[in-house]
């Protein structure tokens, strides 16, 4: 009888554990709301109440932190996000640390950046680049320097419309503002864009 009970428990245990996991993007207060196995955490960086309004006593969302492209469940996708507080210095993504032969078409662009090498005049064909970002920063495709130490990867809720996101979130295209698909050696800002649930962008007076 005891062996039968142990066998029955062994068969239903995986189902019980699975049932105790909330989907990526679900609301949560603590990480155990997302998974009792510790493989999902509660992101509390954006707290909203049941109506989707900002509330310090509200709930965050379930994510998988430190993901890889193959580590997300089917409702999620692995994203890399740079700290927004560092996105303030403008740069030229085509010229930042990428020397090109100087020509008349680069006159204005080189004049607008911190050129390397620094010079008041350049010779046609001379290699020249921009150097606006610090050594620990990368120039994002939208033309902003981002601290590479601030980048964080996590599984986020993939979507095609706002109706698939919980209150306080909206379905938006990635690929800008420091939010990209996870990097690969061939694609440092991810291969293509994807829509994910992100906090609703509110007007300044809201």
């Amino acid at each position: 009888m005891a062996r039968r009970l142990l066998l029955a428990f062994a068969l239903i245990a995986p189902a019980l554990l699975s049932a105790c996991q909330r989907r990526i993007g679900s609301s949560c207060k603590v990480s155990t709301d997302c998974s009792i196995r510790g493989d999902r955490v509660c992101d509390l960086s954006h707290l909203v109440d049941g109506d989707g309004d900002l509330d310090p006593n509200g709930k965050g969302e379930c994510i998988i932190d430190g993901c890889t492209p193959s580590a997300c469940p089917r409702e999620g996708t692995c994203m890399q996000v740079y700290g927004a507080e560092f996105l303030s210095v403008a740069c030229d993504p085509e010229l930042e640390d990428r020397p090109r032969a100087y020509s008349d078409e680069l006159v204005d662009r080189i004049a607008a950046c911190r050129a390397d090498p620094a010079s008041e005049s350049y010779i046609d064909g001379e290699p020249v680049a921009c150097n606006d970002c610090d050594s620990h920063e990368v120039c994002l495709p939208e033309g902003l320097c981002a601290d590479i130490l601030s980048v964080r990867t996590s599984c986020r809720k993939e979507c095609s419309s706002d109706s698939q996101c919980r209150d306080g979130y909206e379905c938006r295209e990635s690929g800008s503002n420091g939010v990209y698909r996870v990097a690969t050696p061939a694609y440092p800002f991810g291969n293509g864009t994807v829509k994910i649930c992100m906090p609703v962008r509110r007007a300044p007076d809201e």
Side-chain angles (χ1 to χ4, degrees):
M1 181 67 176
R3 296 179 75 181
R4 289 182 181 177
L5 289 174
L6 287 173
L7 178 60
F9 180 77
L11 291 173
I12 66 172
L16 289 174
L17 286 173
S18 177
C20 292
Q21 287 192 140
R22 291 192 184 176
R23 294 170 66 86
I24 299 300
S26 297
S27 62
C28 55
K29 278 273 194 179
V30 294
S31 292
T32 49
D33 290 340
C34 304
S35 172
I36 61 173
R37 295 189 297 186
D39 57 337
R40 302 184 184 199
V41 298
C42 186
D43 182 0
L44 300 174
S45 59
H46 181 73
L47 300 176
V48 292
D49 61 20
D51 296 321
D53 296 322
L54 294 175
D55 182 352
N57 296 314
K59 295 183 177 182
E61 65 171 328
C62 292
I63 65 169
I64 295 177
D65 219 356
C67 61
T68 61
S70 59
C72 295
R74 62 182 181 181
E75 76 271 13
T77 185
C78 191
M79 304 298 296
Q80 58 182 357
V81 180
Y82 291 86
E85 65 271 25
F86 300 105
L87 306 181
S88 58
V89 177
C91 56
D92 188 325
E94 294 181 357
L95 288 174
E96 182 69 22
D97 297 326
R98 297 180 180 181
R100 287 177 55 180
Y102 185 76
S103 63
D104 289 342
E105 67 178 29
L106 294 183
V107 171
D108 293 337
R109 292 171 66 179
I110 291 298
C113 75
R114 189 171 63 187
D116 182 22
S119 176
E120 294 184 0
S121 60
Y122 298 93
I123 302 171
D124 281 351
E126 176 184 1
V128 61
C130 289
N131 188 23
D132 290 310
C133 300
D134 291 337
S135 59
H136 59 87
E137 295 178 324
V138 62
C139 186
L140 301 180
E142 63 262 39
L144 292 171
C145 295
D147 189 336
I148 57 176
L149 300 178
S150 75
V151 70
R152 175 186 179 189
T153 61
S154 58
C155 292
R156 297 286 169 169
K157 169 74 185 232
E158 191 170 348
C159 59
S160 57
S161 66
D162 291 341
S163 62
Q164 294 178 309
C165 303
R166 58 182 289 244
D167 291 336
Y169 289 77
E170 60 187 356
C171 190
R172 295 210 310 269
E173 191 87 19
S174 62
S176 64
N177 297 313
V179 181
Y180 305 91
R181 270 186 159 163
V182 71
T184 65
Y187 301 97
F189 299 104
N191 185 10
T193 62
V194 63
K195 285 187 175 181
I196 61 171
C197 293
M198 303 186 207
V200 170
R201 287 180 290 197
R202 303 178 186 277
D205 57 346
E206 289 187 276

